[in-house]
Every structure is written in structure tokens, then in C-alpha cells.
Amino acid sequence: MSASNEPEYYGWLMARLAHYLGRPVADDVPFTEYGLDSVAALSLYGDIEEEYGPVIDPTDIWLYPSVQELSAYLELRDIRLGSGQQVRAAFVFTGQGSQHPGMTSGLYLNSTGYRRFLDEAAEALLPYTGLSVVDLILSRDQRVHQTAFTQPTLFAVEYALARTLEEAGVQPVAVLGHGIGEFAAAVIAGSLSLHDAAKLVAVRGAFMQYLPSGGGMMATCLAPYEAAELTAEEPGVSIGAINAAKATVLSGELGGLERIQRRLEERGIACMPLKVTHAFHSPLMEPMLAKFEAVTRRLPGGSPRLPYYSTVYGQLTNEPLYAPYWSAHVTSPVRFSDAARQMLDHQALTHIVEVGPKVVLTPFLRRMGGAEGPACMGMCRSPETNAVDLAGVVSALDAGPLAHPLVRA
């Protein structure tokens, strides 16, 4: 490929590296092989900052360690809204707690596409749930708050919402799921089939429903390290989710949570017990693992075909999403903040769509992205979301083929 066909960064980087190293460089040879040290790398970062503004972090020079890779990454990072570039949207799937009676019923009644996909998911779930999640939704049944029905119903709604967007021409360039939202994300990424995911979600919810009571969860305005200090004094409590820099959820025994709540209130730190039936994403889930693992071992799981940002690992993963992953997912904290930040750093997104029955994660994502970050929107912005609202989301996404992921020469 000639230099004239490369991004503008290519020639500039070739010249700067030759300047620092005192000789011409090959575009595919790692900087370290030329002897580029940390001082020179920081100086190069300063030159990039001066020339192009805050498009990368200093550590990106080591993550993309050749002219070819770094120029390609700079080109991705420089995509901005209104720049004439195609839409690059990520789908972020909401977790448990976003459910409500009648959720998406307006869409079901007025959108033929959404109705078809929700019926498809309901049919896949029916052998395990014993009742149609469509009937549960349309009747505004309060059992939607019982874990055995919450998890499969949320999965069905999120699957149907995502497929509806895809049918309208919106193809995600990356996916991320919060807690139970990871199952819909895995189907959209091609790691699980609809029927395998339906079985896993249904048995997972049922096994959790019949765990002993006595656990709970509490949202706090604590940084993760502050939460870790508190839980060190309460062995029955652990970190259940890290949603933002100062938004950590604790999960565990009710007595321990109550003692922590009193300490936080004495210090004037905001906290709020969550309306949940169990201590999800904590060691209190372990009694259901043996049964769950027996089911997961019989089902295949493939590697994602889209960039998949795992909230188990807090980062991009390419590994197959099969039994060990879904078992770890039950008791591991939800590392949403880490995964979302990495996705924002690496994907040069123009839009993020929260795929779920109400907006929960969008405010966190907006704060992480900042003023120059992607536009963040929820598919369901109110309990009465209907086909007109859906059309607005599709229009905002300029529905049509999205930009392909960068292919490096």
C-alpha cells in the first residue's frame, strides 16, 4: 500500500520516528526493536498531543507498537460525530433490575418486527419457563420481579430489541452486557445460539430463585478500593458490581450489609439497599453452581464474532463463551466500568445504544465518554416506549450498513 493511500498519520509518524531514531524505519517493525525507550515514547506522545490533540494515552504507544498499528489506531480514535464517517454503534445490554411489569408491551403491539423476535425468544424459553414471557409481559404480571421469570424475560426482551435494530440495518461493531445482559450480548455476537442461551438463562434464574434467602445488595457512592476496605471487615459481603468510579454495588449477607450501611451513613456517604431477592454476583450463589455447571457442560459455546467486552474480565475477550465462563459469571463481580472504558478507548464509537427495557447504564456511559464521546441513547426511554420511539432511535442511528472494523494492511 502506498503512503498516499494511508491515513494522514502514517507519513507523519514515519517522519517522527525517523527523527527520534536517526534513521528510516519500517512501518511493521515494533518500536522496541529500534531501541525506542520510555523517554522517547513519552516525547512522541507529547508531539502527537501537540499536533492532533488528546486522541490517545501514553500507554497506547506500547499497545500499538509499530507505525502501521499506531497510525491505524489514531485514525480510528479521530472519528468524530458529524465528520462524515459512517455510524459505529455498540450495543450495551442492561442487567437485572431494569425489568418492570408490561415492559415493551407498546412495542410488541405496534411493531411487527419486534413482535416477531419476541415471539421467537418466548418460544425458545417456553419448555423451561412453563409459561410464555409474552403473556407475562402483556398481562403486566408482577411475577416479572421473581428471579425465575426476571432473567428469561429480560433476555427475551433484549434479544428482540437487538434483532429489531439489526433488521432495520443497524449492525453493532461491539457488544457489552451487564450481568444477565451478557447472555443476549453473547447471542448477538454469535457465541451462543438463541436456544442454548434460552436454556442457560431459564435454568440459571430458576436455580437462583430457590437458593436460601438472607442475602441482599446495596448501591454505594464508593470507589472500588474504598468498598474493598469495608468488605475486608465483613467476610460475608463482597463487591457485586463496579459501575463507575464512585458507583460500587455490594453483595452478600444482610447483617453485614446493614452494618456497612450504618457506617456509611455516619460518614455521610450515600448508599441504598436494592430491591433484590438474593445476593447476586457473590459467593452466596455458590450452592447453585454444581447444578448449573452440569447444564452448561452439555452446551457448546463459540468465540465471539464481534468485539465482546466481558464484565467478568473487565476487558475485551476472544475466548469461547462456554461452561467455565458462565460458571465464573455467576459469582464474579460485574466489572462494567472497566469493560465500558476499554470499549470506549478502543472502538472509536459514534453511538452507544442501551438495549434493555429502561435506561439504567446510559448516564454512566455518558460520563465516561465525556463531551467528545459517542452519543448515548436508550432503546426504551420510558415504560410506554412504542414503535414511534423505536423509529426515532433507528433514525438517530442513520440506519444502514455501518462501517466495517478496520482491516490493517
Side-chain angles (χ1 to χ4, degrees), residues 51-261:
E51 186 74 14
Y52 297 109
V55 290
I56 65 168
D57 293 321
T59 54
D60 290 327
I61 291 172
W62 305 119
L63 291 173
Y64 303 90
S66 70
V67 170
Q68 198 176 84
E69 291 181 296
L70 187 57
S71 63
Y73 182 62
L74 281 163
E75 179 69 12
L76 273 180
R77 290 291 291 148
D78 199 37
I79 293 173
R80 291 290 182 265
L81 292 174
S83 66
Q85 298 286 342
Q86 288 178 299
V87 167
R88 287 179 57 84
F91 290 180
V92 175
F93 295 83
T94 319
Q96 192 162 342
S98 61
Q99 75 278 355
H100 54 88
M103 57 186 174
T104 72
S105 55
L107 272 179
Y108 185 85
L109 295 172
N110 296 295
S111 168
T112 56
Y114 180 74
R115 181 162 60 250
R116 185 173 71 256
F117 290 121
L118 190 64
D119 285 343
E120 181 186 13
E123 184 179 350
L125 287 161
L126 188 58
Y128 314 107
T129 55
L131 59 81
S132 169
V133 296
V134 169
D135 293 342
L136 194 76
I137 289 169
L138 295 181
S139 64
R140 299 183 177 270
D141 196 317
Q142 292 295 321
R143 283 180 292 177
V144 74
H145 293 304
Q146 295 178 12
T147 298
F149 296 114
T150 302
Q151 295 187 9
T153 307
L154 276 177
F155 167 75
V157 163
E158 293 178 357
Y159 168 82
L161 288 171
R163 289 297 192 216
T164 303
L165 279 183
E166 288 183 325
E167 186 175 60
V170 183
Q171 296 298 318
V173 298
V175 296
L176 185 162
H178 191 293
I180 193 66
E182 283 213 46
F183 288 90
V187 174
I188 299 305
S191 295
L192 290 174
S193 70
L194 170 61
H195 288 274
D196 287 344
K199 183 175 184 178
L200 286 180
V201 168
V203 300
R204 183 185 190 271
F207 294 166
M208 288 182 175
Q209 172 96 18
Y210 291 102
L211 284 172
S213 58
M217 302 180 80
M218 181 169 66
T220 74
C221 291
L222 292 171
Y225 76 89
E226 295 171 315
E229 290 173 357
L230 282 173
T231 58
E233 301 172 10
E234 293 287 352
V237 178
S238 59
I239 293 175
I242 303 169
N243 292 327
K246 285 278 190 178
T248 303
V249 177
L250 303 182
S251 184
E253 296 172 355
L254 289 176
L257 288 172
E258 289 167 358
R259 287 188 290 272
I260 290 174
Q261 182 179 2

Side-chain angles (χ1 to χ4, degrees), residues 86-94 162 165-166 170-177 185 188 306-309 336 339-340 342-356 361-362 365 374-379 393 397 402-403:
Q86 288 178 299
V87 167
R88 287 179 57 84
F91 290 180
V92 175
F93 295 83
T94 319
L165 279 183
E166 288 183 325
V170 183
Q171 296 298 318
V173 298
V175 296
L176 185 162
I188 299 305
L306 289 172
Y308 186 95
Y309 288 86
F336 174 76
Q342 190 182 92
M343 183 179 72
L344 285 163
D345 286 344
H346 290 178
Q347 289 299 322
L349 301 170
T350 61
H351 296 75
I352 297 178
V353 186
E354 182 173 354
V355 181
L361 304 172
T362 296
L365 293 162
C376 301
M377 64 187 74
M379 280 197 75
V393 173
L397 291 165
L402 303 187

